[in-house]
Every structure is written in C-alpha cells, then in structure tokens.
Amino acid sequence: MGSIAGQAKGAQISYKVTFPEAQAHYADIEMKISGLNQKATNLKMPVWTPGSYLIREFAKSIEGFSASYKGDALSAVKINKNTWHIGTAGVSELTVKYRVYAFEISVRTSVIDASHGFLSTSGIFLYPEGMLNQPSTINIVPYKNWDKVSTSLEQVGNDQFTVKAPNYDILFDSPIEVGNQDVFGFDVAGVKYEVCMYGGGNYDKERLKTDLTKIIEQQTAVFGENPNKRYVFIVHNYQRGGGGLEHLSSTVLGASRDAYGTERGYEGFLGLASHEHFHLWNVKRLRPIALGPFDYETENYTTNLWIAEGFTAYYQDNIVRRTNLYSVDNYLDDVVGNFNMLDNQPGAKIQSASESSFDAWIKFYRPNENSANTTISYYNKGAVIGTLLDLEIINDSDGKYSLDDVMKYMYTEYYKNRKRGYTDAEFKLGLEKFAGKKLDDFYKKYINDVDQVDYDKFLGYAGYKLNNELANSNTPSLGISSSNISGKIIVSAVARNSAAWVDGINVNDEIAAIDGTPVTDPTAILNGKNVGDKINVTVNRDGKQLVLPVTLLKSTRVKYKIEAIADANAKQLEVRKRWLRQ
C-alpha cells in the first residue's frame, strides 16, 4: 500500500450536488473517489478563496460528514480544522457525504435559498490531499424548478448540469450559479461571453452587450490577446448590492437591481465589470509570484496587491474612459476621488502600499473603529500609484509609451514566456524599462513609505493642477464619526490627532450635550463655534456621565478638484491627449 498521496495520479473523482433543503440554505454533497491504493486518504476544505485575502474557515459550514466503501462505514476522524482522515487500507474506492450550510450573501461566499444556488466552489468541495492536479466531474441535481447552470466549467456532453474541471485550481476558480437566472450572450473577437443575471433589475440587455463589448475590446488591446475561449459574468442583483470577485474565466458581481437606470448607477456597474474583467489578465495570469500555485490552507503573502488590485482599480475607469462611455469630466472626478480618499485617511501617514498589501490578511478584511487611523486600501493607493506612473511614463517617453506597455510586456514575459509570477523587483524593472530611468525614489516615497504625494508634479505633465477647495476654510472639527442609535448620538470613530483624539472622546461614547445644551442633531453640534474655542462635551460612557473639556481644532479634510492649467504647452497637451485617449 502507498502513502496518503501514493496513487494520486490514478484516482478518479466525482461530486454530486443536491439541494433537498434549499429553502433552509443547504447543499448536500456526495463525493466519490475511485482508483485508490493507499492506507489513508485525507480530505481537506480550503480555508480561503483566491482573490479575497482573508482566512474564512469554510470548514465551519460542513456538517454530517461520513465516509463509506460499498455501503460499509469507514473510519473518519477530523484531525484539524479543515482535514478529515479516512482509513482506506484495502479499499479501492471511497464515498463521502456531507452537507454545507450556505447563507452568506457576498460575491465570495456561497448562498442558497429557494430562488437559486450560488456555489463559491472553494467553500463547497473537499479535495484529497496530494491530488490538487486531479480532474473531477460535478453533477448538479437542481432544486424543484431550477432550469439553468451558469459557470465557466466545461459541460460534459449535452448535459448542462454535469461539468468537469481539469484540476482543483480551476475548480476552485470557477463559481457555479444554479437557478432560473436570465442568461444572454455576445461574442467579442471570437470569445463567447455569457451574462447571467440573478434577481431581476432594470438593465437593458442590448445596451449592456454593446457597452461591455467596447470595454472588453479596449482591455484586450492593452495585452494584445484574450486568453479565453469563453467567459461568464455572474451578476447578483439585490436591492442594494456591490462588490466583485475575479476568476480565471468568469467573475461574480454584486449590483443594485434598480441602479442601471441612472447615469452614475450605470457607470458604476460598468466600472465594476471593467475592474473584474481586467483581472483575467492582471492577477489571474500576470500575477505576483506568491499568488499561484495556491496554498489553500494558509495565507499566501505578497507585497504587490497594490499592483494586482490597485492597478486594476486604476484601469477600471481609464478603460471605460477610452470607450467614451465616461466623459472626461466624469473620469477626472473618479481620479480625484482616489486622491481625496487617500488624503482624507489618517492611515495614509502610517501604512505604506506594500505594507497594506502584505497585511491584507489581518487588517484589510478585518476593520475596526481605529482602522482609518492606521491603514489604507491597496485598491485606493494602488490606483493613485497607477495614475502617477502612467503620467510619468507617458511624459518621460514623449508619448511613445504608457503603463499599457508595461502591462503587456510583463504579461508576455512572465505569464506567457516564463510561465510564472513576477517578483517585486521584476515588476520594478518592467516599469523602469518604459520609464527610461530608475524608480528607486518613487518606490521609496510612494510604495514603501508614506510620503505625501506631489500631485501637481504628475498632473502637471498633462497640463493639470490640483485645487483643494477647502484649503482656505477655517472650519472647526471634533474629528468624530457617529451613528444615531435610538435617538442617541454614538461615537463610531475618532480621527487621529483630532480634537476628540487629543482630549479623550472615545468610540462608543454617547454625545449628550455641548456646553450644557442637549445634542439632537450631530450635523449641528458645532454651529456657532470656531477653531480654538474651548467647549465642554458631556458624554455618557458605560453608564456614567462625564464632562470633557475639548479645544476645537481646524478640520483637516481636503476636497480636491483637478483643473486645467491655462497656459499648458504643446507637450503637456500631448501627454493629456495620450492619457485621456482623446
């Protein structure tokens, strides 16, 4: 007999998924493995899903685990949080049954109810240790009147409810939507696209086909090819929805079902679709070296999420601008929105882009009341960095190159030629190749440190400047965020170095009165007050009333606007034209 993975190459693996209690949010899984020749088989559940950098412990949703051989029970012991150890000495095949509870509505977790089943596969399917490269077949038995399956997995024969995966990396990167979703499609340069709409909505199919086609064509032009034969947009439309998660040949989008009818709502959806589709190159194929092949049992650390996610966040709007679906003004509003978000986050002076990337596992997806003071978003800072570098490269090359050339070069060199991910140093060399100079100073200031961004330098390349509309204001601020809970004004956050921070107002304090006057409207509590005024803030804290003397400080918020320089020269106008694709 061999070891646990002794006969991995000969094993055949299949799954049957049923929904006998879909209304109670359950999927029942029957897993069969044949061709075994080993004393024991370990079955494991991933602890995270690629693209969402948080240990989610999917095994917590498993119940009713059993293992058998031809109807006879086998020894099955759970030996750690996500591993079941099954004695398989003398048996050539194995049947495992278990149930998964699925009722967490997001793009990265499974959700099942009577209306549909969304299977985020990394949280549904156990895999045999040592057999990640093995193919598998999945047969889905739909609940009641469900009549469609939407997934990028290849169909087996003419049965849409039976699909196959060549290995577990692809299975775990291919979500499955089952139900009565609205499905429509279109072709772009030989690639078949399918859009699967769950939850209804006021979307216009023909308009979406036309506009998504434009976005896909522009993105394909950046990299020179579309590596897919087929791609699926799975869209979950809720009363209020958002977010997205990229996959190798598909994506899952969260949307608001009635937002397609407004200009900004529709543009927001296009930006989200653009973001997640751009990932099919940037991160799913052109990727940091740590992100594949994946270790599904622990954190996969990289300092480069500011590239993987941040550059994608930059391109999501830049690409839509190229289609003319965004006006120049709307696009510049999106660009300056990233600047505002970064500079209004106190954590921008604490956490660098590379640190934010590395610590995503413990910080980004686990925010608390102090997170704004200590962290930034690698999406946001990365989008800012993408803006700066695009302008820098266009300017320094006299319009010959742009960030596009870096992305295409890195995709070709590392994904296609070297067939591996890139290191931090290798991506830096790629940027320098097209910038025509060393970027040590840029990396030190804006990627590995927390220097204030010199926006005017980079915008100036394109004949723009930044105007802070609040620069001359002298507005007093407590520096708190609050919530109205049952008529009480409860502090939810305190900004670093603000008046509240300095003078001891705490999160969870109830702001009861200012200078003895009861507080009823949090937006009006400083009416008539000035910077430097000393006020008495009455708070209720843990059942006790305290009066805290507070000295009001000036608000440090910025509100930037990008403005054209009146006397921009010919080179600046050329850089602007190249950047905005005018």
Side-chain angles (χ1 to χ4, degrees):
M1 294 292 180
S3 64
I4 285 176
Q7 297 298 317
K9 291 183 179 179
Q12 294 181 317
I13 305 167
S14 66
Y15 301 89
K16 182 178 180 180
V17 184
T18 58
F19 305 91
E21 293 186 294
Q23 83 289 346
H25 321 301
Y26 278 94
D28 284 31
I29 316 297
E30 181 180 274
M31 178 185 187
K32 291 188 175 182
I33 311 173
S34 61
L36 290 173
N37 183 17
Q38 52 201 45
K39 293 179 180 179
T41 300
N42 284 347
L43 296 183
K44 293 177 171 290
M45 177 65 88
V47 302
W48 69 291
T49 189
S52 183
Y53 307 102
L54 176 69
I55 299 298
R56 296 185 182 274
E57 311 293 21
F58 293 123
K60 69 179 183 286
S61 298
I62 289 181
E63 59 187 76
F65 184 96
S66 68
S68 64
Y69 170 67
K70 294 185 176 179
D72 295 327
L74 294 174
S75 168
V77 179
K78 191 174 185 182
I79 58 174
N80 62 33
K81 65 181 182 179
N82 70 316
T83 308
W84 287 259
H85 182 80
I86 304 167
T88 52
V91 306
S92 60
E93 62 186 56
L94 170 67
T95 298
V96 169
K97 296 181 180 181
Y98 59 96
R99 312 190 79 199
V100 178
Y101 179 77
F103 195 51
E104 183 178 350
I105 297 174
S106 82
V107 296
R108 62 192 68 86
T109 50
S110 298
V111 59
I112 298 166
D113 60 26
S115 67
H116 78 133
F118 172 63
L119 307 181
S120 182
T121 45
S122 56
I124 294 290
F125 298 111
L126 295 169
Y127 68 92
E129 183 179 11
M131 301 189 196
L132 283 173
N133 289 323
Q134 287 298 104
S136 59
T137 301
I138 302 95
N139 174 243
I140 297 166
V141 179
Y143 177 73
K144 290 189 176 179
N145 63 340
W146 295 353
D147 61 8
K148 296 185 185 75
V149 171
S150 296
T151 179
S152 60
L153 292 171
E154 186 178 346
Q155 183 176 304
V156 177
N158 296 320
D159 180 8
Q160 68 162 325
F161 292 103
T162 302
V163 294
K164 61 183 179 180
N167 56 55
Y168 278 94
D169 285 333
I170 289 180
L171 176 58
F172 292 150
D173 211 6
S174 305
I176 303 170
E177 175 74 20
V178 195
N180 303 105
Q181 60 270 24
D182 183 18
V183 177
F184 57 94
F186 55 96
D187 290 358
V188 184
V191 180
K192 292 191 176 298
Y193 279 82
E194 177 182 312
V195 180
C196 145
M197 290 284 194
Y198 163 77
N202 61 348
Y203 52 88
D204 181 328
K205 294 182 190 180
E206 295 307 314
R207 186 183 183 190
L208 278 174
K209 290 179 187 179
T210 299
D211 293 346
L212 288 174
T213 294
K214 293 177 182 177
I215 290 168
I216 292 163
E217 288 174 340
Q218 288 292 338
Q219 292 184 354
T220 303
V222 173
F223 294 94
E225 67 173 20
N226 187 324
N228 286 306
K229 294 181 179 179
R230 184 168 165 271
Y231 188 94
V232 181
F233 289 96
I234 298 174
V235 186
H236 291 159
N237 293 299
Y238 293 103
Q239 184 176 4
R240 295 184 65 184
L245 188 65
E246 71 276 5
H247 296 282
L248 190 69
S249 301
S250 62
T251 185
V252 185
L253 309 178
S256 299
R257 66 171 61 97
D258 294 325
Y260 298 93
T262 66
E263 180 187 13
R264 290 308 278 175
Y266 185 66
E267 288 185 350
F269 178 79
L270 292 181
L272 175 62
S274 175
H275 180 106
E276 301 304 338
H277 187 267
F278 194 82
H279 271 311
L280 79 84
W281 293 276
N282 190 33
V283 93
K284 299 315 301 183
R285 291 168 177 86
L286 170 61
R287 57 174 175 77
I289 201 163
L291 298 184
F294 294 116
D295 182 340
Y296 294 103
E297 294 195 84
T298 189
E299 297 86 348
N300 292 217
Y301 291 103
T302 174
T303 56
N304 292 139
L305 293 181
W306 60 271
I307 302 169
E309 287 292 355
F311 278 19
T312 304
Y314 169 65
Y315 270 104
Q316 72 178 52
D317 296 318
N318 189 269
I319 289 290
V320 182
R321 164 61 215 138
R322 299 180 195 191
T323 67
N324 289 312
L325 293 169
Y326 285 0
S327 68
V328 168
D329 286 344
N330 281 0
Y331 174 64
L332 292 178
D333 284 346
D334 288 331
V335 171
V336 84
N338 277 314
F339 297 171
N340 284 324
M341 185 184 300
L342 181 65
D343 282 11
N344 284 321
Q345 184 96 340
K349 296 180 174 64
I350 303 297
Q351 188 182 57
S352 70
S354 56
E355 289 172 335
S356 176
S357 300
F358 193 83
D359 280 343
W361 297 93
I362 59 172
K363 293 186 178 182
F364 185 73
Y365 288 95
R366 292 173 174 166
N368 62 25
E369 69 280 355
N370 198 44
S371 291
N373 292 321
T374 61
T375 66
I376 56 167
S377 162
Y378 48 80
Y379 288 82
N380 171 228
K381 183 68 177 285
V384 171
I385 292 169
T387 304
L388 307 183
L389 286 170
D390 201 8
L391 287 165
E392 183 76 52
I393 293 168
I394 294 170
N395 180 75
D396 290 354
S397 68
D398 292 325
K400 183 178 180 181
Y401 301 123
S402 71
L403 190 58
D404 288 12
D405 296 283
V406 179
M407 302 304 286
K408 183 177 181 179
Y409 166 77
M410 295 297 292
Y411 171 80
T412 302
E413 180 65 20
Y414 290 93
Y415 170 66
K416 296 188 71 176
N417 296 341
R418 302 195 190 190
K419 302 186 188 308
R420 65 168 176 83
Y422 57 81
T423 66
D424 183 79
E426 287 168 342
F427 202 95
K428 180 172 176 286
L429 286 173
L431 288 165
E432 291 172 341
K433 177 181 176 69
F434 293 94
K437 64 182 181 184
K438 291 286 187 181
L439 292 172
D440 294 5
D441 187 58
F442 185 97
Y443 261 70
K444 181 181 183 304
K445 288 181 177 179
Y446 302 138
I447 294 166
N448 297 322
D449 215 331
V450 293
D451 288 30
Q452 172 64 42
V453 175
D454 186 353
Y455 296 108
D456 281 342
K457 172 187 173 182
F458 296 93
L459 289 173
Y461 294 148
Y464 287 115
K465 64 180 180 179
L466 204 62
N467 177 36
N468 179 11
E469 296 179 342
L470 300 179
N472 297 318
S473 68
N474 201 35
T475 304
S477 172
L478 268 179
I480 63 169
S481 299
S482 63
S483 302
N484 190 321
I485 301 175
S486 300
K488 298 179 179 179
I489 309 305
I490 307 298
V491 177
S492 55
V494 177
R496 183 183 294 272
N497 297 328
S498 66
W501 174 285
V502 171
D503 291 321
I505 295 176
N506 290 181
V507 168
N508 296 327
D509 283 352
E510 177 196 351
I511 306 295
I514 301 290
D515 289 336
T517 301
V519 170
T520 56
D521 181 359
T523 65
I525 61 177
L526 296 184
N527 283 355
K529 306 298 183 183
N530 297 302
V531 173
D533 284 356
K534 298 182 185 299
I535 63 174
N536 290 314
V537 180
T538 303
V539 303
N540 293 321
R541 179 184 298 169
D542 191 31
K544 296 181 179 180
Q545 191 170 86
L546 304 174
V547 178
L548 301 174
V550 175
T551 301
L552 293 177
L553 302 177
K554 179 183 175 180
S555 171
T556 59
R557 288 194 63 79
V558 300
K559 185 180 180 182
Y560 296 137
K561 186 174 180 61
I562 295 175
E563 298 179 349
I565 297 171
D567 55 352
N569 60 38
K571 180 176 180 179
Q572 289 173 315
L573 293 175
E574 188 59 34
V575 171
R576 182 189 301 178
K577 183 178 179 181
R578 181 87 157 84
W579 179 45
L580 299 177
R581 301 303 197 276
Q582 290 177 301

